[in-house]
Amino acid sequence: MGPPDAILGITEAFKRDTDARKMNLGVGAYRTDAGKPYVLGAVQKAEASLLAQGLDKEYLPITGLARFTGAAAELAYGAGSSALGRLAITQSVSGTGALRIGGAFLQRFYGAQPTVYLPTPSWGNHAAVFRDSGLKVGSYRYYDPATRGLNLDAMLEDLRALPRGSIVLLHACAHNPTGVDPTAAQWAQIQRVVEEGEHLAFFDMAYQGFATGDADRDAAALRAFVAGGKAPVVLSQSFAKNMGLYGERVGTFSIVGADAAERDRLLSQLKILVRPLYSNPPVHGARIAAEVLTQPELRQEWLGEVKTMADRIIGMRQALRARLEQLGSAQSWAHITDQIGMFCFTGLKPEQV
């Protein structure tokens, strides 16, 4: 009998528990004040529109729904980005599937048994996904338990010490599981070190818009690396959190090529990789996301809903900190509001929890 998954196993235990007071603090899924899943209004309208269109259920191409991947690329890289004309992009089975495609691609084309370096800590599934892709997995220091913030000096020291041309996994925003994000100035330092080491930047962006409430701001680090033009960039992108499409499994994997010719070569290899993995991706969720992203009214409604969700999380952080301070706690709780997104490292010890 294999062990339960460290994250999803908590959800299974939660469902079995009969205590009315139970709360699931494991999986990263947005909930209402009543603890219920939330289906965005823009998503409901998009789904109703699709149903009215009477669309078929035919297979998608290997790389997915072009209307969706094109809109997703613009959301991530920016509508005016120079990357769009040289971007090899494929629809994926959410962010996890994107990571697996990326891992398989790098294992095949990025040297002999390459190593991907993850921040310490990182999302619990990162190491497993990359190891199963055939990559070696290393790490670099990131979180500082003493300050409950970013250990920038140690991070930069470790990145400088990596073998030239390594693969560096970077959380684009709302770092999972710490909630600790670099500032713009810190990102500039990180970018400089990655470029000096000729490393490949593998961005994982699962929370665009969901961190600060501003989709452009949350993509700033990714766009800065692309604009710099010195470090190779690949991206895993998910719409599970920011569109609430958890079970629809909607995402993309993309590689920024040097030009259109390289884009076409990259895309041909991505197709060869995807075909034996799952042939082609599911259609329904991609159609929903495409409808939301390309219909102006739905897009504006969605952006407003994302900001509302992000602001609510920020407000809950402020309320928690204020209450702890009102109770007379002697320690600083500033890290609760300094951190961002769905996850928080409280600084409490296991025995205190």
Side-chain angles (χ1 to χ4, degrees):
M1 179 72 73
D5 182 84
I7 299 173
L8 298 182
I10 295 174
T11 299
E12 293 171 4
F14 173 81
K15 290 178 178 178
R16 290 193 299 268
D17 196 311
T18 58
D19 194 316
R21 301 167 300 172
K22 66 183 181 179
M23 295 181 69
N24 185 355
L25 301 181
V27 69
Y30 185 85
R31 292 290 183 264
T32 66
D33 284 333
K36 302 297 183 182
Y38 176 57
V39 181
L40 278 66
V43 166
Q44 294 182 56
K45 290 175 183 176
E47 203 158 27
S49 172
L50 293 170
L51 184 62
Q53 294 174 43
L55 300 172
D56 60 45
K57 300 295 184 182
E58 289 295 298
Y59 290 125
L60 287 176
I62 294 174
T63 54
L65 185 69
R67 183 176 174 228
F68 161 64
T69 56
E74 286 194 4
L75 181 71
Y77 293 94
S81 174
S82 64
L84 297 180
R86 50 194 172 95
L87 192 71
I89 185 168
T90 181
Q91 185 180 328
S92 63
V93 184
S94 202
T96 306
L99 291 164
R100 183 58 186 263
I101 294 170
F105 178 88
L106 293 169
Q107 188 277 330
R108 185 170 295 186
F109 296 108
Y110 203 71
Q113 209 170 7
T115 301
V116 58
Y117 292 89
L118 310 179
T120 304
S122 196
W123 178 48
N125 208 22
H126 272 146
V129 168
F130 287 127
R131 285 197 186 102
D132 281 4
S133 302
L135 298 178
K136 293 180 180 179
V137 177
S139 64
Y140 59 88
R141 287 171 289 176
Y142 185 86
Y143 178 73
D144 185 352
T147 65
R148 302 180 185 94
L150 179 66
N151 193 343
L152 181 65
D153 290 341
M155 178 184 181
L156 296 178
E157 181 181 356
D158 286 355
L159 292 180
R160 289 191 182 98
L162 297 182
R164 187 164 293 275
S166 294
I167 304 165
V168 178
L169 190 284
L170 298 165
H171 295 233
C173 61
H175 182 273
N176 178 357
T178 69
V180 174
D181 281 1
T183 65
Q186 290 170 333
W187 267 120
Q189 294 181 68
I190 295 166
Q191 180 176 345
R192 190 157 51 246
V193 172
V194 170
E195 291 173 347
E196 289 170 354
E198 299 179 2
H199 303 317
L200 181 146
F202 194 138
F203 278 93
D204 185 359
M205 188 159 65
Y207 301 95
Q208 186 182 3
F210 210 84
T212 65
D214 184 331
D216 291 323
R217 182 178 172 186
D218 288 350
L222 166 70
R223 295 177 185 181
F225 270 72
V226 173
K230 295 179 180 178
V233 173
V234 305
L235 171 67
S236 162
Q237 180 185 24
S238 169
F239 288 87
K241 309 298 194 301
N242 61 7
M243 226 174 254
L245 298 175
Y246 303 98
E248 298 291 356
R249 313 307 290 144
V250 185
T252 74
F253 173 73
S254 56
I255 309 171
V256 180
D259 50 38
E262 184 176 65
R263 172 202 64 199
D264 293 343
R265 293 194 297 272
L266 291 167
L267 203 54
S268 71
Q269 295 298 335
L270 288 175
K271 291 176 182 178
I272 292 169
L273 282 171
V274 168
R275 177 63 169 147
L277 282 174
Y278 53 83
S279 285
N280 39 44
V283 66
H284 187 66
R287 282 174 172 166
I288 293 172
E291 196 81 358
V292 171
L293 292 172
T294 61
Q295 296 296 328
E297 289 186 8
L298 287 182
R299 183 185 178 96
Q300 285 306 119
E301 181 175 348
W302 168 65
L303 289 172
E305 288 181 292
V306 172
K307 188 174 189 321
T308 296
M309 291 190 291
D311 287 348
R312 176 168 173 258
I313 293 172
I314 292 169
M316 292 173 75
R317 287 180 175 276
Q318 294 168 342
L320 175 60
R321 176 183 173 182
R323 181 58 177 158
L324 289 167
E325 291 172 346
Q326 288 170 5
L327 291 171
S329 175
Q331 78 172 53
S332 171
W333 295 100
H335 60 283
I336 291 179
T337 50
D338 290 341
Q339 295 171 11
I340 199 164
M342 302 182 79
F343 300 97
C344 176
F345 264 30
T346 63
L348 296 176
K349 298 175 182 178
E351 57 268 24
Q352 292 173 314
V353 173

